[in-house]
Amino acid sequence: MQNVIKHTAFVLGDNIDTDQIYPGRYLDLVKPDEVGAHCLEGVDETIAKRFQKGDIVVAGRNFGCGSSREHAPIALINMGASVVVAQSFARIFYRNAINLGLPLLVCEQAAQVIRDGETITVDIENGTVTTQSGQVLKGEPIGEHAMHMLRVGGIKPLFRQRAGLES
């Protein structure tokens, strides 16, 4: 995981639920590229086609609300999202994303200040977002346990590491 990510922002609204992130009609898909191709289709059918590996999702309040299935963060990872920045996250989505190794940053001002398509820089460790114009937005730094989990790639690699199966 990179601590500092500089990429294009895709700005979404409030209450983006897990069905909008990954519509239920695609739950049978298993190939990562196919899963990623349908990500955020419930918001805009063109996002996954325009999204480049490393780009950043920026959203308003309550991102990831709805069902607790892990398909939503899996779809974001397979679409190529490097980090999701939102005003707030649904609790279960937040935990699923961290468990899967997808960094999230709570930043109160991001969705109101950042423009869709602008290049932003996210410092995950320090909890900041820098806009293209140089404005620095302060977010909530991720806790040390969650940061460690992200650094090793998620909960499965963490448990393998603790069991002595990976160094």
Side-chain angles (χ1 to χ4, degrees):
M1 175 197 81
Q2 289 179 270
N3 282 334
V4 178
I5 299 164
K6 183 176 182 177
H7 248 275
T8 302
F10 281 74
V11 181
L12 311 175
D14 294 334
N15 300 309
I16 303 297
D17 67 40
T18 54
D19 273 332
Q20 291 174 289
I21 298 168
Y22 191 65
R25 65 184 171 272
Y26 301 116
L27 292 176
D28 291 340
L29 298 178
V30 293
K31 293 181 181 175
D33 59 330
E34 291 177 356
V35 171
H38 297 287
C39 188
L40 293 169
E41 202 169 278
V43 176
D44 176 344
E45 291 183 2
T46 69
I47 289 178
K49 292 174 183 71
R50 295 181 288 126
F51 207 88
Q52 300 294 310
K53 184 174 174 59
D55 283 348
I56 300 164
V57 174
V58 176
R61 290 184 306 272
N62 204 25
F63 186 83
C65 57
S67 74
S68 61
R69 63 180 178 237
E70 293 179 325
H71 293 80
I74 289 169
L76 288 161
I77 291 166
N78 287 309
M79 183 177 68
S82 58
V83 61
V84 179
V85 178
Q87 188 173 352
S88 65
F89 293 93
R91 182 184 56 80
I92 293 172
F93 174 86
Y94 188 92
R95 190 61 202 196
N96 283 339
I98 297 296
N99 284 346
L100 291 164
L102 176 62
L104 305 176
L105 180 66
V106 174
C107 183
E108 185 74 26
Q109 305 164 299
Q112 289 80 34
V113 174
I114 296 167
R115 293 180 328 274
D116 191 55
E118 83 173 276
T119 300
I120 63 172
T121 304
V122 179
D123 185 328
I124 297 166
E125 192 136 8
N126 291 314
T128 60
V129 179
T130 305
T131 66
Q132 195 166 314
S133 66
Q135 183 179 1
V136 178
L137 309 174
K138 185 70 179 142
E140 298 174 17
I142 296 172
E144 188 52 42
H145 179 70
M147 275 303 298
H148 178 66
M149 194 178 309
L150 289 170
R151 284 188 199 106
V152 299
I155 198 164
K156 287 181 182 178
L158 177 65
F159 280 118
R160 281 191 217 100
Q161 184 182 63
R162 287 184 178 173
L165 302 173
E166 292 180 5
S167 54

